[in-house]
């Protein structure tokens, strides 16, 4: 985890070094803050001067302010002078500490926030470049939790934890050094608690870390359940499934609560255990120290330790006790720190899992140079592909050629692999064997941004993103003028609809485009595709979810879009295939028939049977006149593979 954090702090290391320097200054202030108390007590009880050459001028200056004469017997400075000088030093140290704390916390907050923001952007960007195959195995809510919640946990460690940890460790070392100078014997006594403390810390850290990991995983499952239910709120309401959804959600919340409770309980046990240990050590020091400071006997022996009588003044004992308090504070804070570190460490693991996923080629990482605009001849050559290695492939040797500028309809039974086939074109997946080519070149040879820039897709249910209608259309061609946008919208038969909206092109699109009908969304997606002006167009059942009226409008828009492009259109509605040049039938992972509508119908094969089947359930059989003009006069041979 340390290595990961160090890596993330790149560019802010100077700031961190400054924060460490300030922490050192603050710790020095804390460590020396106990001394003025010793000077005061030693002066009052034993009439002893501080004996620090650095302070002499200050005390002398304070002496001159002393009311009346010096008390008789006073060797050097007046009580007033020592008291006032000690008070001033105390005040100065306090002010330095306050200032340093402010700067240190500000720096920590800024570094923590920067780290969080930087890491969040990096993870989000990485997520978009990870192959689709990896995404298929993930849950949206879970990933969202990693990007938001888990990264916050890491930021929290930097903002809250690391400052405490650093100043704690430095205070510990500083205090230890001063205590050793004051009385090494008492320091050794105080340190007796360290071995049991170390054991307790080791055990509890392990337990808390395990629980934190479970909490992080469970939090992901909670987020996932919430996202899934809220995303499908219409279905939940329609099926009156609220109780079922709440029950499922409550189970997940419970699964998160249990390890959270365990982690909290461990933390609750840890704090008091440390306090008991520290109280034991303190009691021993107070009683033995007071005995020695009171001047009883010649010396005090305890196992291998011999503490000479009179080796401790009341002032020294008080300072020593103040220091042991300082020493114990960081130890007590360990419980809080332990939880922060464990939570952050679990979060780092989950975030790293994403960052370690290999990326697809990023825009600009060009393989070989290639023309930016392709002609659009598409071919599948012996393509074998499946989603999971080891499973039976979905495509089992697909051979298909689509001439540049022609229109091909891909038909077949549901689940046959039509959508899978077209997903291979923009390399959303790569084939196991064989190749997909455009203009005779394997798609893997093109830079990914060039390849995808030459393909436009309109899917069954188009997604609109949050933003305005204009923002959504501009996705097709960033930088397009208003005139170009409106022309595209007109061609897609959606311009009038947009104009009727209260905000026109500035109307805000809600999440997923919920404030638009399916037909409007489809036509906007078509306008987006028109703006993209790609030579290859993929239409994956663009009218599947539409009523007849919307279907007619969308098909009219499709007509505009298809003009002069290579079109591959997936459709179950064979009645819509009148305008295509060729139809290819996919069955059992292979293209089994290819030809014009008329040819395939006349052939009496798979397509003819599908057509007959569809007509059996239609109130009126499909009008051949709709398709006649497409197939008429074509002498294409029916190809069977
Ligand atoms: N992301 C995925 N992960 C695993 N299997 C998948 C995935 N997508 C599709 N499949 C499987 O691949 C097979 C082909 O699916 P595909 O969506 O390509 O069929 P289709 O012919 O387009 O179906 P439909 O006409 O119903 O849309 C199906 O068995 C499906 O379960």
């Amino acid at each position: 985890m340390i290595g990961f954090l160090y890596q993330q702090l790149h560019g802010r290391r100077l700031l961190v070094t400054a924060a460490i320097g300030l922490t050192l200054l603050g710790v020095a202030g804390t460590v020396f803050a106990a001394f003025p108390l010793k000077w005061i007590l030693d002066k009052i009880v034993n009439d002893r001067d501080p004996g620090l050459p650095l302070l002499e001028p200050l005390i002398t200056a304070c002496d001159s302010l002393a009311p009346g004469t010096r008390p008789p017997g006073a060797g050097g400075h007046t009580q007033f002078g020592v008291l006032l000088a000690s008070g001033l030093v105390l005040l100065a140290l306090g002010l330095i500490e306050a200032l340093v704390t402010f700067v240190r916390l500000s720096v920590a907050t800024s570094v923590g926030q920067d780290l969080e923001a930087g890491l969040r952007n990096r993870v989000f960007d990485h997520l978009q470049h990870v192959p689709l195959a990896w995404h298929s195995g993930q849950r949206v809510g879970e990933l969202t939790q990693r990007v938001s919640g888990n990264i916050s946990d890491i930021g929290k460690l930097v903002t809250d934890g690391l400052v405490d940890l650093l100043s704690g460790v430095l205070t510990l070392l500083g205090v230890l050094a001063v205590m050793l100078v004051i009385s090494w014997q008492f320091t050794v006594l105080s340190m007796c608690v360290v071995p049991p403390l170390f054991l307790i810390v080791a055990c509890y850290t392990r337990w808390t870390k395990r629980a934190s990991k479970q909490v992080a995983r469970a939090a992901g499952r909670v987020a996932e359940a919430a996202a899934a239910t809220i995303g499908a709120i219409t279905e939940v309401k329609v099926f009156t499934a609220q109780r079922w959804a709440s029950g499922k959600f409550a189970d997940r919340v419970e699964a998160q609560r249990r390890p959270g409770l365990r982690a909290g309980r461990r933390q609750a046990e840890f704090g008091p255990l440390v306090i008991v240990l520290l109280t034991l050590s303190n009691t021993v020091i107070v009683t033995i120290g007071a005995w020695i400071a009171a001047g009883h006997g010649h010396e005090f022996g305890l196992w291998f330790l011999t503490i000479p009588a009179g080796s401790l003044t009341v002032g020294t004992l008080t300072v020593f006790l103040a220091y042991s308090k300082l020493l114990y504070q960081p130890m007590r804070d360990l419980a809080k720190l332990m939880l922060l570190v464990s939570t952050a460490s679990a979060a780092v693991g989950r975030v790293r899992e994403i960052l370690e996923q290999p990326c697809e080629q990023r825009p600009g990482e060009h393989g070989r140079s290639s023309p930016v605009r392709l002609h659009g001849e598409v071919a599948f050559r012996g393509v074998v592909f499946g989603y999971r290695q080891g499973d039976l492939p979905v495509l089992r040797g697909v051979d298909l050629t689509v001439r540049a500028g022609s229109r091909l309809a891909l038909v077949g039974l549901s689940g046959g692999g039509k959508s899978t086939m077209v997903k291979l074109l923009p390399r959303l997946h790569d084939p196991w064997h064989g190749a997909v080519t455009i203009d005779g070149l394997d798609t893997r040879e093109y830079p990914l941004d060039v390849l995808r820039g030459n393909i436009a897709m309109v899917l069954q249910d188009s997604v609109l993103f949050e933003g305005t209608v204009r923002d959504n259309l501009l996705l097709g061609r960033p930088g397009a003028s208003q005139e170009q946008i409106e022309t595209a919208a007109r061609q897609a038969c959606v311009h009038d609809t947009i104009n009727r909206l209260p905000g026109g092109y500035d109307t805000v699109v809600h999440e997923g485009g919920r404030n638009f009908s399916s037909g409007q969304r489809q036509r906007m997606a078509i306008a987006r595709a028109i703006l993209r002006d790609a030579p290859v167009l993929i239409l994956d059942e663009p009218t599947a979810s539409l009523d007849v009226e919307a279907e007619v409008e969308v098909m009219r828009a499709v007509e505009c879009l298809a003009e002069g492009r290579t079109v591959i259109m997936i459709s179950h509605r064979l009645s819509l295939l009148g305008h295509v040049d060729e139809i290819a039938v996919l069955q059992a992972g292979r293209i089994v028939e290819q030809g014009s509508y008329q040819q395939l119908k006349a052939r009496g094969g798979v397509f003819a049977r599908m057509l007959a089947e569809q007509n059996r359930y239609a109130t009126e059989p499909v009008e051949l006149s709709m398709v006649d003009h497409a197939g008429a006069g074509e002498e294409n041979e029916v190809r069977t593979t």
Side-chain angles (χ1 to χ4, degrees), residues 38 46 73 83 99 176 213 215 364 383 390 417 472 572 611 619 626:
K38 170 182 158 55
N46 303 331
L83 256 63
L99 186 72
L176 212 62
K213 258 191 193 153
V215 172
V383 169
N472 269 280
H572 282 297
L611 195 63
T619 36
M626 277 183 75

Side-chain angles (χ1 to χ4, degrees), residues 136 387-388 394 412-421 423 429 460 540-541 570 572 586:
S136 324
Y387 285 95
R388 269 179 290 272
V394 176
L413 294 182
S414 175
K418 303 179 292 296
S419 301
T420 304
M421 242 182 98
K423 278 185 201 158
H429 300 281
Q460 275 184 21
D540 191 351
E541 299 190 66
I570 298 174
H572 282 297
L586 184 68

Side-chain angles (χ1 to χ4, degrees), residues 28 149 178 188 263 307-308 322 367 378 385 391 409 462 478 496 526 582 633:
V178 179
V188 171
I307 305 170
V378 172
F385 172 77
D391 283 3
S462 294
D496 292 338
I526 289 169
E582 274 195 310

Side-chain angles (χ1 to χ4, degrees), residues 1-334:
M1 182 177 72
I2 305 274
F4 180 81
L5 287 180
Y6 182 75
Q7 213 183 346
Q8 302 309 316
L9 288 173
H10 182 74
R12 296 171 209 104
R13 288 181 195 148
L14 201 70
L15 207 62
V16 174
T17 314
I20 294 174
L22 284 171
T23 308
L24 265 173
L25 198 68
V27 167
T30 313
V31 169
F32 287 108
F35 273 95
L37 191 65
K38 170 182 158 55
W39 301 331
I40 292 171
L41 285 172
D42 280 349
K43 186 71 191 172
I44 293 171
V45 180
N46 303 331
D47 194 20
R48 199 186 280 178
D49 285 339
L52 266 184
L54 270 176
L55 276 184
E56 281 301 313
L58 176 68
I59 305 177
T60 312
C62 292
D63 280 339
S64 62
L65 301 173
T69 51
R70 287 178 184 198
H77 298 288
T78 60
Q79 271 190 357
F80 182 84
V82 173
L83 256 63
L84 186 60
S86 303
L88 287 174
V89 171
L90 204 60
L91 193 68
L93 287 175
L95 286 177
I96 291 177
E97 201 187 333
L99 186 72
V100 165
T101 305
F102 167 72
V103 178
R104 194 165 41 114
L105 289 179
S106 306
V107 170
T109 307
S110 140
V111 171
Q113 291 294 325
D114 281 2
L115 181 137
E116 239 183 80
L119 189 57
R120 198 163 274 140
N121 285 334
R122 205 176 129 209
V123 172
F124 184 72
D125 183 63
H126 193 86
L127 270 175
Q128 295 178 77
H129 289 97
V130 171
L132 200 62
W134 181 81
H135 276 283
S136 324
Q138 303 301 315
R139 302 180 183 101
V140 178
E142 229 264 340
L143 288 182
T144 315
Q145 161 67 8
R146 293 189 200 205
V147 175
S148 57
N150 290 153
I151 292 181
S152 294
D153 292 338
I154 299 172
K156 215 162 158 190
L157 174 69
V158 175
T159 312
D160 301 346
L162 285 188
V163 173
D164 286 356
L165 187 69
L166 186 70
S167 63
V169 169
L170 289 176
T171 309
L172 235 123
L173 292 176
V175 167
L176 212 62
V178 179
M179 279 170 74
L180 275 170
V181 171
I182 296 174
S183 166
W184 70 266
Q185 294 96 333
F186 276 94
T187 310
V188 171
L189 267 185
S190 321
M191 289 296 103
C192 284
V193 291
V194 170
L197 194 71
F198 186 77
L199 197 72
I200 291 174
V201 169
C203 290
Y204 275 82
T205 305
R206 244 187 56 211
W207 293 332
T208 317
K209 207 165 168 180
R210 200 183 306 150
S212 298
K213 258 191 193 153
Q214 289 166 353
V215 172
R217 257 199 308 270
R221 308 263 299 150
V222 169
E224 171 206 323
T229 305
I230 296 166
I233 193 68
T234 312
E235 286 77 3
V236 170
K237 282 178 185 293
V238 167
F239 286 103
T240 51
Q242 288 93 337
R243 190 178 293 177
W244 170 80
S246 296
K248 236 174 103 177
F249 186 72
D251 286 347
R252 300 219 173 162
V253 170
E254 179 59 22
Q256 181 189 9
R257 196 183 68 92
R258 265 183 272 123
L261 209 65
R262 253 199 317 276
R265 204 175 301 137
R266 293 293 186 207
Q267 201 190 358
E269 287 165 7
F270 179 81
L273 264 177
V274 172
I275 291 174
V276 168
L277 270 180
L278 300 184
T279 310
L280 265 175
S281 155
N282 232 6
T283 313
V284 170
I285 290 170
V286 169
T287 43
I288 298 177
W291 183 259
I292 301 283
H296 292 288
H298 298 294
E299 61 179 24
F300 192 89
L302 194 76
W303 296 300
F304 61 95
L305 281 176
T306 307
I307 305 170
S311 62
L312 213 62
T313 63
V314 174
T316 311
L317 179 64
T318 315
V319 169
F320 200 88
L321 286 174
Y323 275 129
S324 33
K325 273 239 166 325
L326 274 184
L327 188 72
Y328 297 153
Q329 192 54 46
M331 295 186 183
R332 284 183 190 179
D333 286 348
L334 272 178

Side-chain angles (χ1 to χ4, degrees), residues 456-472:
M457 280 182 114
V458 180
L459 306 176
Q460 275 184 21
D461 194 12
S462 294
V463 173
L464 298 181
F465 296 93
E466 275 183 86
T468 62
V469 168
R470 183 183 289 103
D471 293 340
N472 269 280

